[in-house]
Amino acid sequence: MKVYRLTAKQGFPISMEKAWSFLSDPRNLKVITPEHMGFKILSGADRDMYQGQIIQYIVYPFPHIPTKWVTEITHVKEGEYFVDEQRFGPYALWHHKHFIKKIDGGVEMEDIIDYKLPLGILGRLMHPIIVKKQLQNIFNYREKRLNELFGHLEGYQNSITFK
């Protein structure tokens, strides 16, 4: 059983409050998701984030192939972090931690995603060919959009790594 980890860090010249307000609002996922993914929230994003919140989405990981994705917000520490876990969707495991912290000149956002692919050895073979590249593209897009919205923190080195 192979569990992969994606870690992404990005710095912004904004306040903790502004970062939290944007990042903890599930409706903003559409803003930072590539349009070709066809991201649409079906339900669950009508209230401020809370532990136990169930959010249902439709996403198109491949053209003309809609996938329903259901996540639960399992942990929330107001202004600091939240965790979402897939309950139903394309992964055998999806555990996504979102952290924000104050740093010199602004804030650092850190995403840590532990994920496992379905289909055993076939899933493992698909990881470097399809899944890793797709996640890399999604997080590159997210970095670009967030920089457009909030600016880039001078001297901060954004990063995306896979293990």
Side-chain angles (χ1 to χ4, degrees):
M1 172 174 101
K2 174 70 174 167
V3 176
Y4 300 94
R5 174 170 280 187
L6 180 162
T7 302
K9 292 184 179 184
Q10 190 168 359
F12 308 105
I14 60 175
S15 69
M16 289 283 289
E17 295 78 19
K18 187 171 184 176
W20 179 258
S21 177
F22 183 86
L23 298 170
S24 67
D25 185 341
R27 294 168 294 206
N28 288 327
L29 275 171
K30 183 173 180 66
V31 175
I32 59 174
T33 300
E35 286 189 32
H36 74 270
M37 299 285 299
F39 180 88
K40 181 180 177 185
I41 295 176
L42 299 175
S43 67
D46 54 338
R47 295 182 179 194
D48 289 343
M49 181 179 291
Y50 61 91
Q51 188 171 331
Q53 184 175 23
I54 299 290
I55 306 167
Q56 297 184 51
Y57 317 89
I58 290 285
V59 66
Y60 288 76
F62 305 104
H64 312 295
I65 302 175
T67 301
K68 190 168 187 181
W69 194 326
V70 178
T71 60
E72 178 181 357
I73 304 300
T74 59
H75 300 81
V76 178
K77 185 167 183 185
E78 185 77 23
E80 293 183 34
Y81 71 86
F82 65 94
V83 178
D84 68 82
E85 295 182 25
Q86 175 190 283
R87 293 295 175 241
F88 178 82
Y91 292 88
L93 167 72
W94 181 269
H95 186 270
H96 186 174
K97 297 176 282 291
H98 309 254
F99 297 96
I100 62 168
K101 71 178 181 180
K102 183 148 183 57
I103 58 174
D104 287 342
V107 299
E108 176 184 79
M109 175 185 77
E110 180 180 26
D111 291 276
I112 302 172
I113 304 170
D114 294 296
Y115 63 98
K116 182 180 182 296
L117 300 175
L119 307 175
I121 191 71
L122 183 59
R124 288 186 72 177
L125 292 172
M126 289 174 45
H127 185 260
I129 298 166
I130 298 171
V131 178
K132 181 179 176 184
K133 287 180 183 179
Q134 188 174 52
L135 288 171
Q136 180 79 48
N137 288 337
I138 290 167
F139 274 83
N140 286 342
Y141 180 87
R142 182 173 289 191
E143 178 180 331
K144 178 180 174 244
R145 285 294 292 136
L146 288 168
N147 279 339
E148 290 170 0
L149 292 167
F150 303 118
H152 175 72
L153 185 58
E154 199 65 37
Y156 186 90
Q157 182 63 45
N158 296 339
S159 65
I160 302 171
T161 59
F162 288 87
K163 290 183 184 178

